[in-house]
Every structure is written in structure tokens, then in C-alpha cells.
Amino acid sequence: MKAIRIQDIIQCVGASAIHPVDQDVQVESVEFDSRKVTPGALFVPLVGGNTDGHDYVQQAIDQGAVACFWSANPDQAPVDQIQVIFVKDTLRAMQDLAHYYRQLIDPIVIGITGSNGKTTAKDMTAMSLTSKYQVYKTQGNFNNEIGMPYTILSMPETTEVLVLEMGMNHFGEIQRLSEIAQPDYAAITLIGESHIEFLGSRQGIAQAKLEILAGMQQGGVLVYPGNEPLIDQALEKAPTAITCYRFGFDPADDFYAYDIHEEYNKTYFRTSIDGNVLSSIPIIGSYNVSNALIALTFAQFLQVPIEQAIFQLSQFELTANRVQWLKTHNGAKLLNDAYNASPTSMRAILHSLGHVEVEGGGRKIAVLGDILELGAHSAAYHRGLAEELDPERIEAVYLFGPEMVNLYEVLQEQYPENRLFYERDNHQTLIQALQRAIKPEDVILVKSSFGVDLLQVVTALTQA
């Protein structure tokens, strides 16, 4: 982070210092977790739930913080130990500071949102640009109203391109993130069913994702799936200063992929950008080709030679727990995708799993946990997954969670009893069943929403 003077922070967040400002103090980092504070830091005491960050200001001071925001009782502020900046809302102040810092460094900003694939598209985009630019990206899943501003404030002074993942649960959240980040370029990965419980319909989801346009610079560029008419409809009300491009698998799209070939740990394809160059990504799934198309499209906009972008893309590494290949205790291949799920993403990965070849006569086993936040639509969406489960392609299915009973009831008509397992809520029962069943030549997919905690199952199966 480039150092910022205290008086500049006070001005950009519309605050005042509780005591006279020390003109020599500069902030060299921003932290909201007191355990991560280092000398020269500004500490942001966030307030929410049962936690009040003001209780940890002293710890931040002890670790070298030189300043802090403060929204609690002014009489309790440690004005004799640290530069205290009084604000009404510490989170809002952090967001305003991030907006200021984005303008101060002034990188090219790429914002990525969507129901699924945000993290993968972000990682791919950042990787495809590294041969030409100093790139900084969202770390892990820091994509919300706290994490995204923190990402901005953490970017090095030398950053030329900032790739930001933008997540949301409710209306208005992407709008706020966009206003903070002011993206020059934006992408919507897809409109699925994630958070439909809060947004009401896929139309509502499309509307919420298009909030990314709210803070875009004049002349900004949006790329979005060509097979998504809901975006087309919503864009009729979008600012005319935004240029839009479609991506997908149809030659009618502005950027499209074709000749796709999937293996269990790699996918090959060609693109309309340059059909003479064979592209590859070290990950299963034609659905991930869409994320690669987003990355290559941005590389074209930013004038990265296509051969360099494709090579970089072939080397990228996924964020942990997202389509991550592991080995079980007995040597079977396990595809860990237990961090996030929607009906769309689960159908897509089941489709890909069903069409890859397994060596040595091994079986393909799907371990599926509940998809959360589907509200009144949940039972129907879970039942609909049966369309991608064929006993001839995926030999055994293990289901977990109270919502998965809906899929279990359908699959009882498709799968023999000895190839179908259901457990409502006991992780150990599921783990023991899998440990008895898995053979070294098998390929296992583990997919669920994060809150179902199938990562516990992954850990148990892969530990030595």
C-alpha cells in the first residue's frame, strides 16, 4: 500500500480527528483484524453481530497501529495513544477510503460478478494479463462489502490492473461495490439461481448483477453470456455509454469457443479470437471454458498478445476448494468443489464428470450436498439435478442434507439400491460409507454449498 497522510484520510472519509492531527503520521496499511496489524497500520474496528471491533483497539495499538477509526463513545477513545479519527460508521469510512485509494493509484479496474464462476474467472483473468501488466486481484473470496474494499486498500502502489470479484446476497450490494471500485471493465459470468431466496427470481438476480454498471467509468465495457436473454432485457435500461459484448459457444456471440475436449484434469478448446491457437485450462469442465473466454476477452481489450494470454491461462491455479483435484487415502482421485453450489453449477459439473473417461475401469462417484438459499424453489431445483445423473455415466451417488431427500426420491427410480446412498445430517455416517466403498481406481466428485460442510468429508477422505 502506498502511504497516506492522516489529514488526507480525514478529508476523504468526511471525518474529523478527535485530537490534533500529527502531521508526520502516515498510514502504511489498513486492517480490520487486530491480529494482522503491523506497525504503521490504520485499524478499522468493525461493528456487527456480537462483535465490536472497538474492543480490540488496544491490541491494535500494542501491535503498532498508528491510527484508528472510531464510532463509539468519544470519551472512551484512546486519544493519548493513537491518532483517532471519528466517523459515524467505520465500515462506510473504510469503503470511502478504498474509493479514494483506488483513485490515488488509478489502475485499470476489472470487476467480475455472477451467480457462479466469479472466483475462477477472476483468477483466470488476472493470470492472462500477467505477461504484460502488474496485476493485483481479490485474494481468496474477499468479495463482499468488507473484503472488496480491503482488497483495494491492499493493492501495491505499482498495480497497473486490479481484478476485483464482487459478490452479493441482496439488492443494492453490487451497486455499492461498483461505486467504490469504479470499474473500467466488467463481466457477468452467468445468471443462475444463487440467492434466489433473497432476490425472488432469476429476473431479480439479473437485475442485481447489472448493478455492476452503477459505478462504471464513461466508455466502460461489459461482457456477459450470449445465451442469457434476461441480461439483454435488463440492458435496455442501461447507460448508453457502456459498450457490451457477448461471449459463449455460439458463432453469433462476439467471442466464442468451439472444438471443446474434456479430460478429468484438463479441457482443450479453440476460440474465435484466434482459431489457430489451441487453448487449454488445467481444470475439468466446458463450463469453465466460459470463464476462460472472459479472461481472454479482457486480454484482447488490454492488448495482451493472444499466445501469451493463452500460455498464462494454461498455468493458472484455482483458489482452494474450487474444482480442486486431490488424492484419497487409498489413491483415488477426488474432485473437491465443496465451497459453493447452485443448481446451474452442479448440473454443469455433473455433465462434465459424466462425459470424461476414467482409466483402469474405475467408477465415477458423485457426492452431493444441499444447495442453500433456494427458498421456496429448493425442492424442485434439487429434483431437477436428476437430469444429469445417469447410472451409465455416473455409477454411484451419495446424497447429504435435508434438501437432497428430494433428489433421492427421484433417483430411486433410476439407480439400483446398492448404488444410491442418502444421509440427512450425520457427516460421520457419510464418511464411513464412502471409506468402505471407494476403490483406488475411482473418481469422486464432492459438490455442495459451503454451509453444508462437505469439506469435513473431503478432509476425512484425503488425510493420510
Side-chain angles (χ1 to χ4, degrees):
M1 177 183 182
K2 181 177 182 178
I4 308 175
R5 300 182 306 166
I6 287 290
Q7 55 264 49
D8 292 332
I9 295 175
I10 292 171
Q11 182 176 359
C12 78
V13 302
S16 60
I18 291 181
H19 66 104
V21 174
D22 185 339
Q23 300 291 332
D24 295 328
V25 173
Q26 290 188 323
V27 166
E28 298 176 357
S29 63
V30 177
E31 295 290 349
F32 60 87
D33 185 338
S34 60
R35 296 167 297 184
K36 296 182 179 180
V37 167
T38 55
L42 165 71
F43 177 60
V44 181
L46 298 176
V47 180
N50 297 321
T51 303
D52 187 341
H54 294 87
D55 296 336
Y56 300 92
V57 170
Q58 187 59 55
Q59 180 181 353
I61 294 171
D62 294 341
Q63 293 187 197
V66 295
C68 71
F69 290 140
W70 190 272
S71 62
N73 186 341
D75 295 334
Q76 298 175 353
V79 295
D80 57 338
Q81 301 180 69
I82 194 172
Q83 296 281 295
V84 180
I85 302 171
F86 181 72
V87 296
K88 293 182 179 179
D89 184 326
T90 54
L91 175 57
R92 180 77 186 203
M94 179 179 170
Q95 294 172 344
D96 290 342
L97 179 58
H99 177 70
Y100 167 82
Y101 190 66
R102 178 258 183 266
Q103 295 176 316
L104 180 67
I105 303 302
D106 196 26
I108 297 168
V109 177
I110 298 173
I112 298 176
T113 191
S115 297
N116 295 101
K118 297 183 294 295
T119 300
T120 302
K122 173 260 299 182
D123 289 339
M124 288 182 171
T125 296
M127 194 68 181
S128 71
L129 301 175
T130 53
S131 65
K132 183 174 180 178
Y133 296 97
Q134 293 289 320
V135 181
Y136 190 72
K137 66 178 182 179
T138 298
Q139 304 299 298
N141 66 322
F142 271 41
N143 63 11
N144 64 6
E145 74 278 7
I146 298 172
M148 196 206 73
Y150 181 75
T151 296
I152 295 174
L153 290 165
S154 300
M155 72 171 158
E157 181 179 354
T158 56
T159 301
E160 297 173 307
V161 179
L162 177 63
V163 185
L164 294 172
E165 179 181 338
M166 298 182 181
M168 48 76 69
N169 294 320
H170 298 84
F171 288 115
E173 293 176 349
I174 293 292
Q175 177 176 340
R176 176 60 181 152
L177 298 182
S178 180
E179 290 168 349
I180 295 167
Q182 291 186 314
D184 302 282
Y185 299 90
I188 297 173
T189 58
L190 62 82
I191 302 300
E193 306 85 4
S194 297
H195 314 304
I196 198 169
E197 178 180 9
F198 309 119
L199 300 173
S201 64
R202 292 186 72 251
Q203 288 87 345
I205 294 170
Q207 178 184 340
K209 299 305 181 185
L210 279 169
E211 290 176 6
I212 200 169
L213 303 180
M216 286 193 72
Q217 306 279 39
Q218 290 293 315
V221 172
L222 171 71
V223 299
Y224 68 95
N227 63 348
E228 189 45 84
L230 290 175
I231 298 180
D232 287 322
Q233 296 168 16
L235 279 172
E236 295 176 2
K237 301 178 181 179
T240 56
I242 302 299
T243 304
C244 299
Y245 296 89
R246 297 178 179 88
F247 67 88
F249 304 100
D250 190 324
D253 294 326
D254 299 294
F255 301 93
Y256 64 91
Y258 60 99
D259 286 353
I260 298 169
H261 173 70
E262 297 180 71
E263 298 180 358
Y264 81 90
N265 63 349
K266 187 170 289 189
T267 304
Y268 298 92
F269 60 98
R270 296 185 186 275
T271 76
S272 59
I273 298 171
D274 188 340
N276 294 319
V277 183
L278 181 65
S279 302
S280 69
I281 48 177
I283 183 175
I284 189 174
S286 58
Y287 61 97
N288 276 309
V289 174
S290 293
N291 297 320
L293 268 176
I294 292 172
L296 293 176
T297 297
F298 285 137
Q300 285 298 286
F301 291 150
L302 298 184
Q303 300 180 333
V304 177
I306 186 63
E307 296 85 356
Q308 294 179 17
I310 287 174
F311 173 77
Q312 292 298 123
L313 200 54
S314 71
Q315 306 298 307
F316 98 104
E317 296 181 0
L318 277 167
T319 297
N321 301 322
R322 286 171 167 84
V323 201
Q324 176 187 32
W325 281 105
L326 303 170
K327 288 281 189 181
T328 68
H329 60 89
N330 67 349
K333 298 181 179 70
L334 186 148
L335 184 57
N336 174 23
D337 196 13
Y339 188 87
N340 197 6
S342 72
T344 297
S345 66
M346 194 170 280
R347 285 195 302 268
I349 199 165
L350 287 170
H351 179 84
S352 293
L353 178 68
H355 287 80
V356 297
E357 296 183 4
V358 177
E359 301 173 354
R363 300 167 301 163
K364 288 175 280 189
I365 300 172
V367 183
L368 308 177
D370 280 357
I371 305 169
L372 304 180
E373 298 183 356
L374 295 178
H377 307 266
S378 184
Y381 279 127
H382 281 84
R383 286 194 295 268
L385 298 173
E387 297 174 5
E388 293 295 346
L389 288 163
D390 181 348
E392 297 297 318
R393 294 185 179 276
I394 298 177
E395 285 79 2
V397 180
Y398 289 72
L399 303 174
F400 183 84
E403 294 300 317
M404 275 296 171
V405 70
N406 296 288
L407 177 57
Y408 177 64
E409 292 170 352
V410 177
L411 292 185
Q412 285 179 305
E413 300 177 3
Q414 299 175 207
Y415 278 78
E417 184 178 354
N418 63 345
R419 292 163 61 185
L420 181 63
F421 176 91
Y422 172 70
E423 169 56 38
R424 178 182 172 86
D425 52 24
N426 191 315
H427 290 84
Q428 287 305 311
T429 301
L430 173 62
I431 290 167
Q432 291 166 7
L434 287 166
Q435 288 174 333
R436 289 192 299 267
I438 293 172
K439 299 176 181 179
E441 59 271 22
D442 291 339
V443 173
I444 303 101
L445 163 69
V446 182
K447 176 75 171 174
S448 71
S449 291
F450 181 74
V452 180
D453 195 20
L454 285 194
L455 289 178
Q456 182 182 152
V457 176
V458 171
T459 300
L461 295 178
T462 57
Q463 64 188 7

